[in-house]
Amino acid sequence: QRQLVESGGGLALAGGSLRLSCAASGRTFSTDTMGWFRQAPGKEREFVAVNSKSGGTTYYADSAKGRFTISRDNAKNTVYLQMNSLKPEDTAVYYCAAGGWGTSPYVYTYWGQGTQVTVSS
């Protein structure tokens, strides 16, 4: 059983930055791919970024490219999402996910509880 706990969300101004963290426990962290998704009110959960087991391969949604960076520290069992140049349309609940690969949320086995990110203009 794996537990994922996100933190770092909050309120930011447009153009600002936030860094989300996701601490994992319960399984060997380095065996899991880790991803970030987000869900805005009234919308489906959408892919943001994914990071391979070693951290050597990453993939981003077009909306995140050039602004967001996913990284991981296997020694700390933690994956991060650095978000820069934030836009109001980035406002959503951000979820950490593990045990899958790709852009569909349905292939991921484990999920955190989510952390709210609100970007004001």
Coordinates of all heavy atoms in Angstrom, one line a residue, residues 44-119:
E44 N -12.6 17.8 -16.1 CA -12.0 16.5 -15.9 C -10.6 16.7 -15.4 O -9.9 17.7 -15.6 CB -12.0 15.7 -17.2 CG -13.4 15.3 -17.6 CD -13.4 14.4 -18.8 OE1 -12.3 14.1 -19.4 OE2 -14.5 13.9 -19.2
R45 N -10.1 15.6 -14.7 CA -8.8 15.6 -14.2 C -7.8 15.5 -15.4 O -8.0 14.7 -16.3 CB -8.5 14.4 -13.3 CG -7.2 14.5 -12.5 CD -7.2 13.5 -11.4 NE -8.3 13.8 -10.4 CZ -8.4 13.2 -9.2 NH1 -7.5 12.2 -8.9 NH2 -9.3 13.5 -8.4
E46 N -6.9 16.4 -15.5 CA -6.0 16.5 -16.6 C -4.5 16.3 -16.2 O -4.1 16.7 -15.1 CB -6.1 17.8 -17.4 CG -5.7 19.0 -16.7 CD -5.8 20.3 -17.5 OE1 -6.3 20.2 -18.7 OE2 -5.3 21.3 -17.1
F47 N -3.8 15.7 -17.1 CA -2.4 15.4 -17.0 C -1.6 16.7 -17.0 O -1.8 17.7 -17.7 CB -1.9 14.5 -18.1 CG -0.4 14.4 -18.2 CD1 0.2 13.5 -17.4 CD2 0.3 15.0 -19.2 CE1 1.6 13.4 -17.5 CE2 1.6 14.9 -19.3 CZ 2.3 14.0 -18.4
V48 N -0.5 16.8 -16.1 CA 0.4 17.9 -16.0 C 1.8 17.5 -16.4 O 2.4 18.0 -17.3 CB 0.4 18.6 -14.7 CG1 1.4 19.7 -14.6 CG2 -1.0 19.1 -14.3
A49 N 2.3 16.5 -15.7 CA 3.7 16.0 -15.9 C 3.9 14.6 -15.3 O 3.2 14.2 -14.4 CB 4.7 17.0 -15.3
V50 N 4.9 13.9 -15.8 CA 5.2 12.6 -15.3 C 6.7 12.4 -15.3 O 7.4 13.0 -16.2 CB 4.5 11.5 -16.1 CG1 5.0 11.4 -17.5 CG2 4.7 10.1 -15.4
N51 N 7.2 11.7 -14.4 CA 8.6 11.5 -14.1 C 8.9 10.0 -14.0 O 8.2 9.3 -13.3 CB 9.0 12.3 -12.9 CG 10.5 12.3 -12.6 OD1 11.0 11.3 -12.1 ND2 11.1 13.4 -12.9
S52 N 9.9 9.5 -14.7 CA 10.3 8.1 -14.6 C 10.9 7.7 -13.3 O 11.2 8.6 -12.4 CB 11.2 7.8 -15.7 OG 12.5 8.4 -15.5
K53 N 11.1 6.4 -13.1 CA 11.6 5.9 -11.8 C 12.9 6.5 -11.4 O 13.1 6.9 -10.2 CB 11.7 4.4 -11.9 CG 10.5 3.6 -12.2 CD 10.7 2.2 -12.5 CE 9.5 1.4 -12.9 NZ 9.8 0.0 -13.2
S54 N 13.8 6.7 -12.4 CA 15.1 7.3 -12.1 C 15.1 8.8 -12.1 O 16.0 9.4 -11.7 CB 16.1 6.8 -13.1 OG 15.8 7.2 -14.4
G55 N 14.0 9.3 -12.7 CA 13.9 10.8 -12.9 C 14.5 11.2 -14.2 O 14.5 12.4 -14.5
G56 N 15.1 10.3 -14.9 CA 15.8 10.6 -16.2 C 14.9 11.0 -17.3 O 15.3 11.6 -18.3
T57 N 13.6 10.6 -17.3 CA 12.7 10.8 -18.4 C 11.5 11.6 -17.8 O 10.9 11.1 -16.8 CB 12.2 9.5 -19.0 OG1 13.3 8.8 -19.5 CG2 11.2 9.8 -20.1
T58 N 11.1 12.7 -18.4 CA 10.0 13.4 -18.0 C 9.1 13.8 -19.2 O 9.6 13.8 -20.4 CB 10.4 14.7 -17.3 OG1 11.2 15.5 -18.2 CG2 11.2 14.5 -16.1
Y59 N 7.9 14.0 -19.0 CA 7.0 14.4 -20.1 C 6.0 15.4 -19.5 O 5.5 15.2 -18.4 CB 6.2 13.1 -20.6 CG 5.3 13.3 -21.7 CD1 5.9 13.6 -23.0 CD2 4.0 13.3 -21.6 CE1 5.0 13.9 -24.1 CE2 3.1 13.5 -22.7 CZ 3.7 13.8 -23.9 OH 2.8 14.1 -25.0
Y60 N 5.7 16.4 -20.3 CA 4.8 17.5 -19.8 C 3.6 17.7 -20.8 O 3.7 17.5 -22.0 CB 5.6 18.8 -19.8 CG 6.7 18.8 -18.8 CD1 8.0 18.5 -19.2 CD2 6.5 19.1 -17.5 CE1 9.0 18.5 -18.3 CE2 7.5 19.1 -16.5 CZ 8.8 18.8 -16.9 OH 9.8 18.8 -16.0
A61 N 2.5 18.1 -20.2 CA 1.4 18.6 -21.0 C 1.9 19.9 -21.7 O 2.7 20.6 -21.2 CB 0.2 18.9 -20.1
D62 N 1.3 20.2 -22.8 CA 1.6 21.4 -23.5 C 1.4 22.7 -22.7 O 2.2 23.6 -22.7 CB 0.8 21.5 -24.8 CG 1.2 20.5 -25.9 OD1 2.3 20.0 -25.8 OD2 0.4 20.3 -26.8
S63 N 0.4 22.6 -21.8 CA 0.2 23.8 -20.9 C 1.2 24.0 -19.9 O 1.3 25.1 -19.3 CB -1.2 23.6 -20.2 OG -1.2 22.4 -19.5
A64 N 2.0 23.0 -19.6 CA 3.1 23.0 -18.6 C 4.5 23.2 -19.2 O 5.4 23.7 -18.4 CB 3.0 21.8 -17.8
K65 N 4.7 22.9 -20.4 CA 6.0 23.0 -21.0 C 6.6 24.4 -20.9 O 5.9 25.4 -21.2 CB 5.9 22.6 -22.5 CG 5.8 21.1 -22.7 CD 5.7 20.8 -24.2 CE 5.4 19.3 -24.4 NZ 5.3 19.0 -25.8
G66 N 7.8 24.5 -20.5 CA 8.5 25.8 -20.3 C 8.2 26.5 -19.1 O 8.9 27.5 -18.8
R67 N 7.2 26.1 -18.3 CA 6.8 26.8 -17.1 C 6.9 25.9 -15.8 O 7.3 26.4 -14.8 CB 5.4 27.3 -17.2 CG 5.2 28.3 -18.3 CD 3.8 29.0 -18.2 NE 2.7 28.0 -18.3 CZ 1.7 27.9 -17.3 NH1 1.7 28.7 -16.3 NH2 0.8 27.0 -17.4
F68 N 6.6 24.6 -16.0 CA 6.6 23.7 -14.9 C 7.8 22.7 -15.0 O 8.2 22.4 -16.1 CB 5.3 22.9 -14.8 CG 4.1 23.7 -14.5 CD1 4.1 25.1 -14.4 CD2 2.9 23.1 -14.4 CE1 3.0 25.8 -14.1 CE2 1.7 23.8 -14.2 CZ 1.8 25.1 -14.0
T69 N 8.3 22.3 -13.9 CA 9.4 21.3 -13.9 C 9.1 20.3 -12.8 O 8.9 20.6 -11.6 CB 10.7 22.0 -13.5 OG1 11.0 23.0 -14.5 CG2 11.8 20.9 -13.6
I70 N 9.0 19.0 -13.2 CA 8.9 17.9 -12.3 C 10.2 17.3 -12.0 O 11.1 17.2 -12.9 CB 7.9 16.8 -12.9 CG1 7.6 15.7 -11.8 CG2 8.5 16.2 -14.2 CD1 6.5 14.8 -12.3
S71 N 10.4 17.0 -10.7 CA 11.7 16.4 -10.3 C 11.4 15.5 -9.1 O 10.3 15.5 -8.5 CB 12.7 17.5 -9.9 OG 12.3 18.2 -8.8
R72 N 12.4 14.7 -8.8 CA 12.2 13.7 -7.7 C 13.5 13.6 -6.9 O 14.6 13.7 -7.5 CB 11.7 12.4 -8.1 CG 12.6 11.6 -9.0 CD 11.9 10.5 -9.7 NE 11.4 9.5 -8.7 CZ 10.5 8.6 -9.0 NH1 9.9 8.6 -10.2 NH2 10.2 7.6 -8.1
D73 N 13.3 13.3 -5.7 CA 14.5 13.0 -4.8 C 14.2 11.6 -4.2 O 13.4 11.5 -3.2 CB 14.6 14.0 -3.7 CG 15.9 13.8 -2.9 OD1 16.4 12.7 -2.8 OD2 16.3 14.8 -2.3
N74 N 14.8 10.6 -4.7 CA 14.5 9.2 -4.3 C 14.9 9.0 -2.8 O 14.4 8.2 -2.1 CB 15.1 8.2 -5.2 CG 14.3 8.0 -6.5 OD1 13.1 8.5 -6.6 ND2 14.8 7.4 -7.5
A75 N 15.9 9.7 -2.4 CA 16.4 9.5 -1.0 C 15.4 10.1 0.0 O 15.4 9.6 1.1 CB 17.8 10.3 -0.9
K76 N 14.6 11.0 -0.5 CA 13.6 11.6 0.4 C 12.2 11.1 0.1 O 11.2 11.6 0.7 CB 13.6 13.1 0.3 CG 14.9 13.8 0.8 CD 14.8 15.3 0.7 CE 16.1 15.9 1.2 NZ 16.0 17.4 1.1
N77 N 12.1 10.2 -0.9 CA 10.8 9.7 -1.3 C 9.8 10.8 -1.7 O 8.6 10.7 -1.3 CB 10.2 8.8 -0.2 CG 10.9 7.5 0.0 OD1 11.8 7.1 -0.8 ND2 10.6 6.8 1.0
T78 N 10.3 11.8 -2.4 CA 9.5 12.9 -2.7 C 9.6 13.3 -4.1 O 10.7 13.3 -4.7 CB 9.9 14.1 -1.8 OG1 9.8 13.8 -0.4 CG2 9.1 15.4 -2.0
V79 N 8.5 13.7 -4.7 CA 8.5 14.3 -6.1 C 8.0 15.7 -6.0 O 7.2 16.1 -5.1 CB 7.6 13.4 -7.0 CG1 6.1 13.5 -6.6 CG2 7.7 13.9 -8.4
Y80 N 8.5 16.6 -6.8 CA 8.2 18.0 -6.8 C 7.6 18.5 -8.1 O 7.9 17.9 -9.1 CB 9.5 18.8 -6.5 CG 10.2 18.4 -5.2 CD1 11.3 17.5 -5.3 CD2 9.9 18.9 -4.0 CE1 12.0 17.1 -4.2 CE2 10.5 18.5 -2.8 CZ 11.6 17.6 -2.9 OH 12.3 17.2 -1.8
L81 N 6.9 19.6 -8.0 CA 6.4 20.2 -9.2 C 6.7 21.7 -9.0 O 6.0 22.4 -8.2 CB 4.9 20.0 -9.5 CG 4.5 20.6 -10.8 CD1 5.1 19.9 -12.0 CD2 2.9 20.5 -10.9
Q82 N 7.7 22.2 -9.7 CA 8.0 23.7 -9.6 C 7.2 24.4 -10.7 O 7.3 24.0 -11.9 CB 9.5 23.9 -9.9 CG 9.9 25.4 -9.9 CD 9.8 26.0 -8.5 OE1 10.2 25.5 -7.5 NE2 9.2 27.3 -8.5
M83 N 6.4 25.3 -10.3 CA 5.5 26.0 -11.2 C 5.9 27.5 -11.2 O 5.8 28.2 -10.2 CB 4.1 25.8 -10.8 CG 3.6 24.4 -10.6 SD 1.9 24.2 -10.3 CE 1.8 25.0 -8.7
N84 N 6.3 27.9 -12.4 CA 6.7 29.3 -12.6 C 5.7 30.0 -13.6 O 5.0 29.3 -14.3 CB 8.1 29.4 -13.1 CG 9.1 28.8 -12.2 OD1 9.0 28.9 -10.9 ND2 10.2 28.2 -12.7
S85 N 5.8 31.3 -13.7 CA 5.0 32.0 -14.6 C 3.5 31.6 -14.5 O 2.9 31.3 -15.6 CB 5.5 31.9 -16.0 OG 6.8 32.3 -16.1
L86 N 3.0 31.5 -13.3 CA 1.7 31.0 -13.1 C 0.6 31.9 -13.8 O 0.8 33.1 -13.9 CB 1.4 30.9 -11.6 CG 2.0 29.7 -11.0 CD1 2.0 29.8 -9.5 CD2 1.3 28.4 -11.4
K87 N -0.5 31.2 -14.3 CA -1.6 31.9 -14.9 C -2.9 31.6 -14.2 O -3.0 30.6 -13.5 CB -1.7 31.5 -16.4 CG -0.4 31.6 -17.2 CD -0.6 31.0 -18.6 CE 0.6 31.1 -19.4 NZ 0.4 30.5 -20.7
P88 N -3.8 32.5 -14.2 CA -5.1 32.2 -13.6 C -5.7 30.8 -14.0 O -6.3 30.1 -13.2 CB -6.0 33.3 -14.0 CG -5.1 34.5 -14.2 CD -3.8 33.8 -14.8
E89 N -5.5 30.4 -15.3 CA -6.0 29.2 -15.7 C -5.3 27.9 -15.1 O -5.7 26.8 -15.4 CB -6.0 29.1 -17.3 CG -4.6 29.4 -17.9 CD -4.6 30.9 -18.3 OE1 -5.0 31.8 -17.6 OE2 -4.0 31.1 -19.5
D90 N -4.2 28.2 -14.4 CA -3.6 27.1 -13.6 C -4.3 26.8 -12.3 O -4.0 25.8 -11.7 CB -2.1 27.5 -13.3 CG -1.2 27.6 -14.5 OD1 -1.4 26.7 -15.5 OD2 -0.4 28.5 -14.6
T91 N -5.3 27.6 -12.0 CA -6.0 27.3 -10.8 C -6.7 26.0 -10.8 O -7.5 25.7 -11.8 CB -7.1 28.4 -10.6 OG1 -6.4 29.7 -10.3 CG2 -8.0 28.2 -9.4
A92 N -6.5 25.1 -9.8 CA -7.0 23.8 -9.8 C -6.6 23.1 -8.5 O -5.7 23.6 -7.8 CB -6.6 23.0 -11.0
V93 N -7.1 22.0 -8.3 CA -6.6 21.1 -7.2 C -5.5 20.2 -7.9 O -5.8 19.6 -9.0 CB -7.7 20.2 -6.6 CG1 -7.0 19.2 -5.6 CG2 -8.7 21.1 -5.9
Y94 N -4.4 20.1 -7.4 CA -3.3 19.4 -8.0 C -3.1 18.1 -7.2 O -3.0 18.1 -6.0 CB -2.0 20.2 -8.0 CG -2.0 21.3 -9.0 CD1 -2.8 22.4 -9.0 CD2 -1.1 21.1 -10.2 CE1 -2.8 23.3 -10.0 CE2 -1.1 22.1 -11.2 CZ -2.0 23.2 -11.1 OH -2.0 24.1 -12.1
Y95 N -3.0 17.0 -8.0 CA -2.9 15.7 -7.4 C -1.6 15.0 -7.8 O -1.2 15.1 -9.0 CB -4.0 14.8 -7.9 CG -5.4 15.2 -7.4 CD1 -6.2 16.1 -8.2 CD2 -5.9 14.8 -6.2 CE1 -7.4 16.5 -7.8 CE2 -7.2 15.2 -5.8 CZ -7.9 16.0 -6.6 OH -9.2 16.4 -6.2
C96 N -1.0 14.3 -6.9 CA 0.2 13.5 -7.1 C -0.3 12.1 -7.4 O -1.3 11.6 -6.7 CB 1.1 13.5 -5.9 SG 2.5 12.4 -5.9
A97 N 0.3 11.4 -8.3 CA -0.1 10.0 -8.7 C 1.1 9.1 -8.9 O 2.2 9.6 -9.3 CB -1.0 10.0 -10.0
A98 N 0.9 7.9 -8.6 CA 2.0 6.9 -8.7 C 1.6 5.6 -9.3 O 0.4 5.3 -9.3 CB 2.7 6.7 -7.4
G99 N 2.5 4.9 -9.9 CA 2.2 3.5 -10.3 C 1.6 3.5 -11.7 O 1.1 2.4 -12.1
G100 N 1.8 4.5 -12.5 CA 1.4 4.5 -13.9 C 2.3 5.2 -14.8 O 3.4 5.7 -14.3
W101 N 2.0 5.3 -16.1 CA 2.8 6.1 -17.0 C 1.9 6.6 -18.1 O 1.1 5.8 -18.6 CB 3.9 5.2 -17.6 CG 4.8 5.9 -18.6 CD1 4.7 5.9 -19.9 CD2 5.8 6.9 -18.2 NE1 5.6 6.8 -20.4 CE2 6.3 7.4 -19.4 CE3 6.3 7.4 -17.0 CZ2 7.3 8.3 -19.5 CZ3 7.3 8.3 -17.1 CH2 7.8 8.8 -18.3
G102 N 2.0 7.8 -18.5 CA 1.2 8.3 -19.5 C 0.4 9.5 -19.1 O 0.5 9.9 -17.9
T103 N -0.5 9.9 -19.9 CA -1.3 11.1 -19.7 C -2.8 10.8 -19.2 O -3.5 11.7 -18.8 CB -1.5 11.9 -21.0 OG1 -2.2 11.1 -22.0 CG2 -0.1 12.3 -21.5
S104 N -3.1 9.5 -19.1 CA -4.5 9.2 -18.6 C -4.5 8.9 -17.2 O -3.6 8.2 -16.7 CB -5.0 7.9 -19.3 OG -6.2 7.5 -18.7
P105 N -5.4 9.6 -16.4 CA -5.4 9.3 -15.0 C -5.8 7.9 -14.6 O -5.5 7.4 -13.5 CB -6.4 10.3 -14.4 CG -7.3 10.6 -15.6 CD -6.4 10.5 -16.8
Y106 N -6.4 7.2 -15.5 CA -7.0 5.9 -15.2 C -5.9 4.8 -15.1 O -6.2 3.7 -14.6 CB -8.0 5.5 -16.3 CG -9.2 6.4 -16.4 CD1 -9.3 7.3 -17.4 CD2 -10.2 6.4 -15.4 CE1 -10.4 8.2 -17.4 CE2 -11.2 7.2 -15.4 CZ -11.3 8.2 -16.4 OH -12.4 9.0 -16.5
V107 N -4.7 5.1 -15.6 CA -3.6 4.1 -15.5 C -2.8 4.2 -14.2 O -1.9 3.4 -14.0 CB -2.7 4.1 -16.7 CG1 -3.5 3.9 -18.0 CG2 -1.9 5.4 -16.8
Y108 N -3.1 5.2 -13.4 CA -2.3 5.4 -12.2 C -3.1 4.7 -11.0 O -4.3 4.8 -10.9 CB -2.1 6.9 -11.9 CG -1.1 7.5 -12.9 CD1 -1.6 7.9 -14.1 CD2 0.2 7.7 -12.5 CE1 -0.6 8.4 -15.0 CE2 1.1 8.2 -13.4 CZ 0.7 8.6 -14.7 OH 1.6 9.1 -15.5
T109 N -2.3 4.0 -10.2 CA -2.8 3.2 -9.1 C -3.1 4.0 -7.8 O -4.0 3.8 -7.1 CB -1.9 2.0 -8.8 OG1 -1.7 1.3 -10.0 CG2 -2.5 1.1 -7.8
Y110 N -2.1 4.9 -7.5 CA -2.2 5.5 -6.2 C -2.3 7.1 -6.4 O -1.7 7.6 -7.3 CB -0.9 5.2 -5.5 CG -0.6 3.8 -5.3 CD1 0.3 3.1 -6.1 CD2 -1.3 3.1 -4.3 CE1 0.5 1.8 -5.9 CE2 -1.1 1.7 -4.1 CZ -0.1 1.1 -5.0 OH 0.1 -0.3 -4.8
W111 N -3.1 7.7 -5.5 CA -3.3 9.1 -5.6 C -3.2 9.7 -4.2 O -3.6 9.1 -3.2 CB -4.8 9.3 -6.1 CG -4.9 8.9 -7.5 CD1 -5.2 7.7 -8.0 CD2 -4.7 9.8 -8.7 NE1 -5.3 7.8 -9.4 CE2 -4.9 9.0 -9.8 CE3 -4.3 11.1 -8.8 CZ2 -4.8 9.5 -11.1 CZ3 -4.2 11.6 -10.1 CH2 -4.5 10.9 -11.2
G112 N -2.8 11.0 -4.2 CA -2.8 11.8 -3.0 C -4.2 12.4 -2.9 O -5.1 12.3 -3.7
Q113 N -4.3 13.2 -1.8 CA -5.6 13.9 -1.5 C -5.8 15.2 -2.2 O -6.9 15.7 -2.3 CB -5.7 14.1 0.0 CG -5.0 15.4 0.5 CD -3.5 15.3 0.6 OE1 -2.9 14.2 0.3 NE2 -2.9 16.4 0.8
G114 N -4.7 15.7 -2.8 CA -4.8 16.9 -3.6 C -4.4 18.2 -2.8 O -4.6 18.2 -1.5
T115 N -3.9 19.2 -3.4 CA -3.6 20.4 -2.8 C -4.1 21.6 -3.8 O -3.9 21.5 -5.0 CB -2.1 20.6 -2.5 OG1 -1.8 21.8 -1.8 CG2 -1.2 20.6 -3.8
Q116 N -4.8 22.5 -3.2 CA -5.4 23.6 -3.9 C -4.3 24.6 -4.4 O -3.6 25.1 -3.5 CB -6.5 24.3 -3.1 CG -7.1 25.5 -3.8 CD -8.0 25.1 -5.0 OE1 -8.8 24.1 -4.9 NE2 -7.9 25.8 -6.1
V117 N -4.4 25.0 -5.6 CA -3.6 26.1 -6.2 C -4.5 27.1 -6.8 O -5.3 26.8 -7.6 CB -2.6 25.6 -7.2 CG1 -1.9 26.8 -7.9 CG2 -1.5 24.7 -6.6
T118 N -4.4 28.3 -6.3 CA -5.2 29.4 -6.8 C -4.3 30.5 -7.3 O -3.5 31.0 -6.5 CB -6.2 29.9 -5.7 OG1 -7.0 28.9 -5.2 CG2 -7.1 31.0 -6.2
V119 N -4.5 30.9 -8.5 CA -3.7 32.0 -9.1 C -4.7 33.2 -9.4 O -5.6 33.0 -10.2 CB -3.0 31.5 -10.4 CG1 -2.1 32.6 -10.9 CG2 -2.2 30.3 -10.1

